[in-house]
Amino acid sequence: MGQTKTELLSTEVRHLDITQFDFVTLIESMQGTAFQARNLARAAQIYHQMLADKQCGVILCLAGSLISAGLKKIILDMIENNMVDVIVSTGANIVDQDFFEGLGFKHYQGSPRLEDTELQALAIDRIYDTLINEDELRICDDTIKVIADSLEPRPYSSREFIAEMGRYLEKHAKNKDSIVLRAYQKNIPIFVPAFSDCSAGFGLVMHQVAHPQKHVSIDSVKDFRELTELKIKAKETGLLMIGGGVPKNFAQDIVVAAELLGAEVPLHKYAVQITVADERDGALSGSTLREACSWGKVSVVHEQMVFCEATIAMPLVVGYAYGKGAWRTRENRAYSKLFAETAETVS
Amino acid sequence: MGQTKTELLSTEVRHLDITQFDFVTLIESMQGTAFQARNLARAAQIYHQMLADKQCGVILCLAGSLISAGLKKIILDMIENNMVDVIVSTGANIVDQDFFEGLGFKHYQGSPRLEDTELQALAIDRIYDTLINEDELRICDDTIKVIADSLEPRPYSSREFIAEMGRYLEKHAKNKDSIVLRAYQKNIPIFVPAFSDCSAGFGLVMHQVAHPQKHVSIDSVKDFRELTELKIKAKETGLLMIGGGVPKNFAQDIVVAAELLGAEVPLHKYAVQITVADERDGALSGSTLREACSWGKVSVVHEQMVFCEATIAMPLVVGYAYGKGAWRTRENRAYSKLFAETAETVS
Amino acid sequence: MGQTKTELLSTEVRHLDITQFDFVTLIESMQGTAFQARNLARAAQIYHQMLADKQCGVILCLAGSLISAGLKKIILDMIENNMVDVIVSTGANIVDQDFFEGLGFKHYQGSPRLEDTELQALAIDRIYDTLINEDELRICDDTIKVIADSLEPRPYSSREFIAEMGRYLEKHAKNKDSIVLRAYQKNIPIFVPAFSDCSAGFGLVMHQVAHPQKHVSIDSVKDFRELTELKIKAKETGLLMIGGGVPKNFAQDIVVAAELLGAEVPLHKYAVQITVADERDGALSGSTLREACSWGKVSVVHEQMVFCEATIAMPLVVGYAYGKGAWRTRENRAYSKLFAETAETVS
Amino acid sequence: MGQTKTELLSTEVRHLDITQFDFVTLIESMQGTAFQARNLARAAQIYHQMLADKQCGVILCLAGSLISAGLKKIILDMIENNMVDVIVSTGANIVDQDFFEGLGFKHYQGSPRLEDTELQALAIDRIYDTLINEDELRICDDTIKVIADSLEPRPYSSREFIAEMGRYLEKHAKNKDSIVLRAYQKNIPIFVPAFSDCSAGFGLVMHQVAHPQKHVSIDSVKDFRELTELKIKAKETGLLMIGGGVPKNFAQDIVVAAELLGAEVPLHKYAVQITVADERDGALSGSTLREACSWGKVSVVHEQMVFCEATIAMPLVVGYAYGKGAWRTRENRAYSKLFAETAETVS
C-alpha cells in the first residue's frame, strides 16, 4: 500500500438522503417485474402499509454495519418523520458508529483489498470497504466509561443507558445528526440486546473494573421485559428488519413473551426483512418469515423477505414509504415516556 | 399436510458420533485438492495445531441451530476429551436446545416444505427441516424461571446462570448427554452474551415480573469482563467458530478489552470460522479473519475461513482433530474455578 | 392451489422503463456510501465511461432469466440509443423469452410457493415467481423449425440464425418490442454460444430429424470466430455482464483468441459484472474480474463486480448511463454488416 | 509476491481417491441430523438408488472447475466401475483440464490472494486457489487444432470430436488417468454443449481460419439430438449434477425434446444437484428440481438439492455410492456404440 494514515483516511463516507429522489414510480414499476425487484417492491409497500395503519407500532431492527456505510440519514429521516416507534439494533450501529459520529468522528471510504496487517500497524480498523481511525474509537469507549461513571450504580436496560448517551450528546455532540440524540429527544426507545458486544462493552468493562463493588450493570432481561411491555401496549405491530441476528430474534420473540405474561397480543401483523442470508443453513438470520409463523411470532399475510444487500435495498424501501407520505398523518408515539416513571431501585 | 402432531413428531434427530470414523486420511487427501475442501483441510489442521500447542486456550464459538441439528455429541466429545476450554454461544444452542434435551425432550426431523400456518395450529415450531414440540419448550422456559426463583437476587453473568442450570441438571436431568451439564461438571465456562435472546429470556422475564423489586438480573458487562479475564489468564488463544454473529464478535473483542485494561496480551493466535455468510454485505458474520487483524484481534498466520454449512463441515474439522489425538496429552483447564471465589454482592 | 390455468396466467409481467426516472443523482449519492451501493455506483460509472469512450465497443452479456423478469425494455432502450454494439446471451433470454414475446405471447406473475406438480398438470412452466404457458412455448419451438426449414442447409453461426429470426419477426411479429427484431434492424449482432440449450434446440432438433441428410446445423466455432473478428475490428472493448455462465466466459475469451490468430488486441478495457454468484466455489460465474486479468482477458483498471440480483441492479446501472447521456453522441456500429458479404458455402 | 514462476508452480493438485475411505457409516449417520448434512445424505442415497435401479441410465453433469480442483479420480472411478453412462460437461473440465492433464500437464496449488497482474506477467492463469501454466494451455489449444486438421471436414457433435480426442490420447497420452481417454475406451459418450467455450474453441478457431473453405464445424444441434436419442433409448434416467449452468439445462431438456420427437419417455426419475447457487435470482443454476417438474423434466419423488461446494460434497456423495457397491452388478451400457454406424456425410 505505502499510503499514510492521513491519505487512507481522506475520503469520508457520505450519508444518503432519500428525500431527494422519487422512489414511488420506480417501486411501482418494479412491482410489475419479477425476482427480487418485485420482492423489494412488495416489501416497500408493506412498510408503507405499516405506516398507513394507524393501529400499528413500527419496530425497526438493525444488524450489520449500516451507519458506517452511509445509511444514517435514512434512519434519521424515519425518526424525524414519525416513521419508526422502536429501534432494536446491534451495538456497533448505535455505539461504535452513530454515537461515534455524534462525538464528531467520521467514517472513511477504503477498499476490501487493503492489506490488513499494514492497517493494523497504522491503527486503522476496516469494515469491508470502509475505514475507522482506531484512536477515535478508543475515545468513544472512554466516553461510555465517563457516562457510566456518572450514573447511579444499578442494573440498567440498554434502553436506559442509550437514553443517557442521548442526554450526553444533547450537551456534548459535535455532530447533531445522531440517531441516539434524536431518538432521545423524541422519546423513541432504542434497544441493544447484546449491549456489551461493541464499544459500549469496552467502556463498561473499564467502568466496572474501576468500580468493583458498586457499578452500573446492563440487565438484558430488563431489555426483553421492556420491549415486551411495548408490544402489550402497542398491540398491532410491524417489523422492518435490516439484516438478521439478535435484533430479528429479539423483536420476534416479544409476541411469545407477551403471551407468557398472560397478555393476549396479536402476531406481528407486518414483517419485512432485507438480508442476503440463506435459509439453507438453518440459522435464524436467513430463516423465512413463514418459519417465524410456526413459532407464533409473525403473521404470513403481510410478510416479505428481500434478498439484497442493505445499502441498495434500504434506500429504495424507505424512500418509497417516505414518498407515499403516510407518515404525514402519523404521530410520534414517544414510547420512552412509558418507562419514565418506572426506574427501579432494584435488586 | 393433514398429519397429526404425533405423526409429525415421530422421527428423532440423532446426534452424529465423530469417534466412529477415520477423518484423518480424508482430510489429508482434501489438503491436496482445492477450493473449500482444501480450506476445510487447512481449518482442521489449524484446530489440531491449537490443541497441540500446550500454551493455547481454545475458545469454541457457536451460532446457528447446531444442537437441534444433531451436532451435540461432537461438542460433548470435545468437552470429554479436553478439546475446548471456553464456550461462547447464542442462547438457542445452550438453552432452547441443549438444556431442553437435558430435560428429556427431543428434536424431530421435518421438512422445509411443511405448511407453517398448520404447524402453528399444532403448536409445532420449525427450524428449517427440524421440528420442536412447543409445549415442551414452554416447560423449558418455566424451568429457567424455577432456577431464577431459587437464586439470590443480584446481577449474574450468563456464565454464572448457566452454571446454575448445570447444577440443576445434575439433580434433575432426564438425559445426561448435555453440554450444560458436562461443562458444569468439568468447570468449563459457557458464555451467552445475548442471554435474553432465547428461552432463558422467557423464563427470566417471568421471574422478574413475579419479583418486581428484588430479582436476578443478567449483566452482559460482567460476561465481557469475565471472558476478558480469561484471555488475560490464558495469554495464547485460538478460536474455533461455528457461524458468526454475537459469539464471533464477542470472542474477538476480548483482545482489545484486555489491552484497555492494561494487560499485554497477544492476538488470537489461531482462528477458524465455518460459515456460509458472505463478506460482501459488510456484516460481521461474513467478515474475513484478515479484516479482524486490522482491528488488532486476530493474527493472520493461522487463520482459515471455510465456506460450508456447519452440519457438513464441523464433523470433518473436529473429527480430524479428534483422530490426530493431540487432546490425549491436553489437560482440562477448568477455567470456571477462576471465578469460584469471586461471586460479587453488588450492585 | 385449486386455481385454473386462466386464473394463474392472469397478471402479466410488465417491462420496466428506465427512461422515466432520474437515476443520476441517486447513483452519485450511492457513490458516497459503502458496500454494494458503492460498488453499484462505480459499475454504473464504468458503463458510462464505456459509452463516453468513442474508441470502445460495448459487449452486453446476458445470463439468467432477464426478459421474462421484465428487463426487456431496458435492453431495447440500449439498442435504440446506441448503448450496445454486440450481445452475447444464453438461449433462454433470446429465444424462449424475447422471440417468444415477439410472437405475441406473454410472461405472467406467479409465486415461488406454487405447487409444481399441479403446474405440470396444467402445462404451466415456472421460473421462480413467473409463469409461462407451455402450449405457447411449443409454438415458439415450431416457429424455429419453420425458419430452419426455410433456410439453405449449411452450418450457421447462432448470429446468422438469430438474424433470420429477426427477419421472420419483421414480417410476422405480433409484438414489435423485440430485441431480436430491433437488433436485426439495426445490424447489432446477437450471439448465443450454447444455442441448442433452449427452445431453439427443440425446433432445430425437429428440423434435423425431419431432414436427416441435408439440414441446418449450428456451428459454435463459427460463433467464436465471428466474435473474435469483432474484437479484432473493435480493438478497445468493454463488457457489461448481467450474470455469468457461458456468455461471460465466451466474451472474455475472445481477447486470447484474437492473440492466437496473430492480432495484437488490448485486454477488455472496461468490465462490469452484476451477479450473486460466489467466488468461493471456484466456478467461472462468480470468479472475480481480477482473476480474469491473470488469464490476460480483462484489465484491472476499470472493473467492478456488483453483488446484487439483476432485476434490482440492472435498471440502476443502465438507468444512470442513460441519464448521463453519453450515448447521444455515439453512433451505431452496425457490426452485423461486417458479416453480410461473408456467408460461406462450406463445409 | 516476488515469487518466480517455478516457485509459484511447485505444489501440484492431487486427485482425491474415494476408494480409500468408508463413507457409508458417515453418510448414514448424517441421515439422522439436519440441514445440509441430511440433504447430502439423501442425495447420496438417491445416487445409490440410481445405480441399484437396473433400468436406469445415469447422466453425470459437470459444471465448475472440478478437474483442476482434484476431483478427476472420482470421475475416473465412476467410469471404471460402471457408475455413469453419459457425461454432459462444460468445456473447461473436459478440454482445458482433463485432456490437458492427459497431455502430461499439471494443476498447481495457489492462493486466491495472489496478485493477478503479476500472474499475468508470468503467464500463469488462476482459478481461485489453483494455478495453470499458460504456455501449457497454449499447447493444449494447438493439439485440438492438430486433431481437427486430421479429420474429415464436416459438422461434428461435440461427442464425436471428444471421442477423437480420446483416440488421440490413446496414442499420445503422457498421463493415462484421463476421463476423455477412459470414456473413449469404454464407449461412454461425453457431451459438451457449449464446446467452443473453452480451449477447444481456441484450437478450432485456428483450424477454421487455416481452412476457410472446408473445415470441421461443431453442430450443437447434433449434440442435442444425440443426447435425446439416448434418453429415448434409455427410458429411465437419473441425473447426478455437479453445479448448474448449460449441462444442467441441457440434460433436463432432453425429456421435452424426446416428447417433441414423438417418443413417450418418462421424466428423469432421479435427480441430485450439488450447488451453492441461490434460487432467489431466478437463474437456472440455482433453480429447484421441483421447478424443473413444472417444466415436465424431473420427477419430484427422488430429487435432492445439496447446498455445498462440490469439492466437499462430491467425494461424500460418490464415495457413499461406491461403498454401497450397487455398481458391482451394473453393466457398462457403452452408449457410444449406438452412434458408431451413423456418422453422417452432411450437410
Side-chain angles (χ1 to χ4, degrees), chain A residues 77-88:
Chain A
D77 284 329
M78 293 171 70
I79 291 173
E80 296 307 328
N81 298 305
N82 302 332
M83 296 170 75
V84 56
D85 300 308
V86 180
I87 295 172
V88 182

Side-chain angles (χ1 to χ4, degrees), chain A residues 222 225 342 344-347, chain B residues 205-215:
Chain A
K222 195 172 182 185
R225 188 154 46 98
T342 64
E344 298 165 32
T345 45
V346 239
S347 56
Chain B
V205 160
M206 289 188 286
H207 162 75
Q208 287 197 353
V209 167
H211 304 83
Q213 291 307 319
K214 286 191 161 293
H215 52 236

Side-chain angles (χ1 to χ4, degrees), chain A residues 107-125:
Chain A
H107 293 90
Y108 298 93
Q109 298 192 32
S111 155
R113 306 190 69 253
L114 293 171
E115 186 53 60
D116 290 301
T117 51
E118 296 185 32
L119 293 178
Q120 187 200 1
L122 293 169
I124 294 176
D125 297 344

Side-chain angles (χ1 to χ4, degrees), chain A residues 35-36 275-279 307, chain C residues 128 309, chain D residues 278-282:
Chain A
F35 308 163
Q36 298 311 313
T275 184
V276 296
D278 199 298
E279 145 189 41
F307 169 49
Chain C
Y128 193 60
E309 198 268 305
Chain D
D278 199 299
E279 145 189 41
R280 296 172 292 183
D281 67 351

Side-chain angles (χ1 to χ4, degrees), chain B residues 287-307:
Chain B
S287 64
T288 64
L289 298 169
R290 300 192 76 86
E291 181 176 310
C293 175
S294 78
W295 292 78
K297 296 171 180 173
V298 174
S299 163
V300 298
V301 181
H302 306 287
E303 61 82 15
Q304 187 62 57
M305 308 275 293
V306 186
F307 169 51

